[in-house]
Every structure is written in C-alpha cells, then in structure tokens.
Amino acid sequence: MRRRTEAQASSDEPPHADKKDPGQRPQRKAEAKGRMSYRSVLINIGKCLLLVIIIPPFLNYASLQREGQMLLPKDGQIVDVSLGQKMHLLCKGKGNPVVILDAPTGMSSDIWFHVQENVATLTKVCTYDRMGLGFSKRLMQNETTGTEKVWGISTTGRMVDDLHRLLQAAGIAKPFIFVGSELGALNGRFYSHIHDVQVSDLVLIDPIPEDIFEEDQWKQYWYGKLLPSFQTRQFSAATGLSRILLILGAIEPTVGGKNVSEEVIQRQKYLLSNPAHQSSAVDEHYFINESAAQVRDITKFKPLSSRVSVSVITGDSYDEQIPEHLNQMVAKLQKQFLEESYPSANQIHIKGADRRMIYKKPSAISQHLRRLVNQRQAKQQSE
C-alpha cells in the first residue's frame, strides 16, 4: 500500500519536472544559431581578406614574368657590363656625335621617348636604364662587385661607374654629347669631370644644386613628402594594387598622348606594377643627398676641361606643383652654383616649363640638341 502511494505521488509530479523550461529551448537554439552565423561571417570575411592579400600579388607577379620578356624594346639590348651585371641600352638613329640621355630620379629611359625619336633623325641617340630601373637588373645584396665599397649602390659615383662600363662594352663612339636631367644631371656632371675626354658637350636639364639638401625646408619636402610618395608606390606595386588601379584607370602612365606608341604605354604600366623598379626609384630618392655630395667633391677635386661646352636648360620653375618659396630656393641656389662651377655655360630658358619638360615640352629640348649636333658635325667636316 505504501509502495503504491509513493508510485502515485511520483506519477502526480508534472511531466519533465527534472528538465529545464521548454520555453528556453528556442531561445538557446536562436543564440547558438546566431553564434554560428556570426562565426561564418567572420570566416567569410577572413577568406575574402586572404584572397585580396594573396591573389593580386600572385597574379601581378605572374604577369610581370610574362611582360618582362614581351615588353623589352625591339631595338634595345641587354649589355653585359662585366662584374656579373647586365644593363639595358636602347640606341636609335645613325651618325656622330652620339647623344647619351640620362633620366631624372627614379625614372626609366622611356621618359626620353619624344626627344630620342626627334633627335634620332639626325644622329645616333642612346638611352639606358640605371641599375635596378627598367630592364637593368641590379645585383642581389649578397653579391658584390667591389665598387660599392667606394660608391653606394644607388649613388652617382656607382651610376657613373656602371655607365662608363656600359658605353665601353657597347662600343659607343666618343666624344659624345651627354644630356642629364635632375639626378641624370648630377651623373652628367660627375661623368664629364672624371672622363672629360669622352664628352664634347654637357647639357644639364633642371640641375639640382648640391647645397640644396643643407636647407631644412627642402629636406622636409624631399624626405617628408616626395620620398614617402614613392614608398607608397613601391608598396602598391608589391601588393598588386597598382595593376588594379591601372586597369580601373585610377592612375596613368607618365608619358602619353597621340604620338606615343601602345608599346611604350604598356611598358610604363609594367614598370608601375613592378616592385623591383619602384624599390630602386625609392633608393635613388633616398640617397640623392649623398649623390649631390659626391658631385660637389669631384668637381672641386677635378675641374671640368675647357674643351667641354656646357648648356643649362631650365623652365619658369623647378616644379609648379610645389610651394613657390621652394621654387625660389631652387632658382637662387641654381644661379649660385652655376656662377661658381660653370660661369660660361649657355643658359636656355623654356617658357611655361618645369621639371616635366622632358615629356611636356620635348620639342624645345630637341631643338637645342639638334643645334649642338649640327655644330659638332659641321666642325668635324671642316677638320
């Protein structure tokens, strides 16, 4: 009787009394579902980020390998300059004197496209890519040629040494006309002072005064604004972002227009997407202060021969996109260094031009170079 009462009592308990409230089940399921949904969203975001980080650089690298061979200029040649180095040289036209064109800081030889095409109808004109730029590959850091023990690898001294070996290996006739812009002008000055017998005429376009990097305002502009912009380009190229921006039309090649071939445009796009080229451009900007100091020292050690004629081409300003006080600073220091170093230089002013005159006002530069070539050719014929 007692057992039956206990059994009955237990049967009178509400069903599932030992379990939790059934109303909480949907709530817990909803919470679990919410957590799973949140986790899946995070996983999907992670996958997307992984794709964005990995795929563009991979595709960019694959494209660069294909384009590196395809876009090499047809008339260009890769010259073995000894010491394990090879440099890209592009010569057009025939005749003497040969004109050598050296590009501004961080730029490849394509920047001279208009000038080279114009002057090549009169004589032989050669452009080249400095080590690490364009199609000239620089050595790995663990390789050595010995010369960088004297000159830093991205400074004028080393560039002039590379160029000297390039011109010798290519058998370029001497004396030649050396034309340099900005950093190329520093190289031209260094080369002409060291190898003055090889240079008949030195043409300086927008030459950078050596003392300008002693000015705090200029250093702040160069190292605080200009250099970081090139470092951003390097990062953009390394991540494949530059190629995407080129496809979208967000960035454009420097040299363009109706008279520029599609090959040149594609080659510039290739270099904008090439982190190796952009890295060398960064280095040239970073070490330009040291390059300027090297030129200052060499010009004092070995004055320029009186046989070398000097021309200086400048515009209304150094760079119309920078503050006016910086342009005035450049003009003042340019005038001082020209009076001290090249007092008899032929000074040519191009109205409405700045440092972009090579591709914005190329005809004015071409006219002066053609005039120099004609003068040298007439002198050779009279002799």
Side-chain angles (χ1 to χ4, degrees):
M1 193 69 184
R2 186 176 177 183
R3 264 182 210 171
R4 189 178 174 194
T5 306
E6 289 177 355
Q8 187 176 1
S10 67
S11 65
D12 290 340
E13 292 180 5
H16 308 294
D18 59 328
K19 296 184 180 179
K20 294 185 178 178
D21 185 358
Q24 293 180 358
R25 271 188 169 185
Q27 182 178 354
R28 294 195 66 184
K29 285 184 179 180
E31 289 176 357
K33 189 175 180 181
R35 283 196 297 270
M36 290 178 64
S37 176
Y38 180 69
R39 189 180 299 119
S40 65
V41 169
L42 288 179
I43 291 173
N44 289 332
I45 291 175
K47 288 179 180 178
C48 292
L49 288 175
L50 196 62
L51 291 176
V52 169
I53 292 171
I54 291 177
I55 289 183
F58 177 78
L59 293 177
N60 185 53
Y61 177 78
S63 298
L64 290 174
Q65 299 307 303
R66 175 177 53 86
E67 294 165 349
Q69 295 296 325
M70 184 178 67
L71 294 174
L72 182 68
K74 297 174 183 177
D75 299 327
Q77 53 181 320
I78 303 298
V79 181
D80 187 340
V81 297
S82 74
L83 304 175
Q85 300 178 93
K86 294 182 179 180
M87 298 181 70
H88 173 241
L89 178 70
L90 175 63
C91 294
K92 294 187 176 183
K94 295 181 180 180
N96 288 314
V98 179
V99 178
I100 306 296
L101 304 174
D102 203 337
T105 319
M107 293 189 175
S108 71
S109 53
D110 276 327
I111 201 72
W112 294 107
F113 174 78
H114 293 295
V115 175
Q116 185 174 29
E117 291 289 323
N118 187 302
V119 182
T121 60
L122 188 62
T123 191
K124 185 175 183 177
V125 185
C126 297
T127 61
Y128 79 105
D129 291 326
R130 292 189 292 268
M131 206 64 71
L133 297 178
F135 295 92
S136 293
K137 308 300 181 185
R138 65 177 174 183
L139 295 174
M140 300 298 290
Q141 290 184 358
N142 60 348
E143 299 181 72
T144 178
T145 65
T147 51
E148 67 267 26
K149 294 178 182 177
V150 179
W151 310 115
I153 197 166
S154 294
T155 64
T156 284
R158 175 61 184 275
M159 293 171 194
V160 167
D161 181 66
D162 291 337
L163 177 59
H164 180 59
R165 287 185 284 115
L166 172 64
L167 299 179
Q168 283 185 317
I172 300 299
K174 306 172 183 65
F176 49 76
I177 298 173
F178 197 121
V179 185
S181 174
E182 202 181 62
L183 176 57
L186 288 176
N187 293 344
R189 294 176 60 200
F190 196 109
Y191 197 107
S192 300
H193 281 259
I194 293 292
H195 307 291
D196 53 0
V197 178
Q198 300 180 16
V199 181
S200 62
D201 301 86
L202 174 62
V203 181
L204 307 175
I205 303 174
D206 288 318
I208 297 178
E210 307 97 346
D211 297 336
I212 197 165
F213 287 96
E214 296 177 7
E215 301 289 337
D216 290 337
Q217 288 182 328
W218 183 260
K219 283 196 294 187
Q220 184 177 359
Y221 157 70
W222 191 273
Y223 291 105
K225 185 175 181 180
L226 188 61
L227 180 62
S229 71
F230 280 90
Q231 290 171 327
T232 301
R233 285 190 190 182
Q234 180 186 358
F235 175 79
S236 180
T239 58
L241 179 60
S242 293
R243 187 173 293 274
I244 295 174
L245 294 175
L246 284 165
I247 293 172
L248 296 175
I251 56 177
E252 296 287 341
T254 301
V255 181
K258 296 180 180 179
N259 298 326
V260 180
S261 67
E262 182 62 25
E263 179 187 356
V264 172
I265 292 175
Q266 291 303 319
R267 193 154 57 238
Q268 291 180 83
K269 290 182 177 180
Y270 159 75
L271 294 178
L272 283 170
S273 304
N274 191 333
H277 171 84
Q278 297 300 332
S279 175
S280 296
V282 168
D283 287 348
E284 287 193 352
H285 281 85
Y286 182 81
F287 290 109
I288 197 168
N289 189 4
E290 186 175 340
S291 292
Q294 291 174 359
V295 174
R296 180 175 56 238
D297 293 341
I298 211 68
T299 54
K300 290 179 180 177
F301 174 75
K302 192 176 186 297
L304 187 66
S305 170
S306 59
R307 296 189 302 271
V308 181
S309 75
V310 180
S311 303
V312 180
I313 303 177
T314 55
D316 292 339
S317 59
Y318 169 74
D319 187 341
E320 61 182 12
Q321 296 181 6
I322 66 175
E324 182 58 28
H325 72 276
L326 292 179
N327 282 313
Q328 292 175 359
M329 181 188 300
V330 175
K332 179 183 177 181
L333 293 174
Q334 264 184 355
K335 183 179 179 181
Q336 289 177 0
F337 107 81
L338 289 173
E339 289 174 351
E340 294 173 2
S341 302
Y342 311 105
S344 59
N346 177 24
Q347 300 196 30
I348 300 158
H349 177 79
I350 300 179
K351 189 174 181 180
D354 68 349
R355 60 191 292 267
R356 299 167 184 81
M357 69 175 74
I358 295 176
Y359 53 94
K360 293 287 187 181
K361 302 268 185 180
S363 59
I365 297 173
S366 300
Q367 287 174 11
H368 177 64
L369 297 182
R370 293 177 71 90
R371 189 160 51 246
L372 283 179
V373 170
N374 284 326
Q375 290 173 358
R376 288 298 171 184
Q377 289 178 342
K379 188 175 181 180
Q380 289 172 1
Q381 289 175 1
S382 64
E383 293 175 348

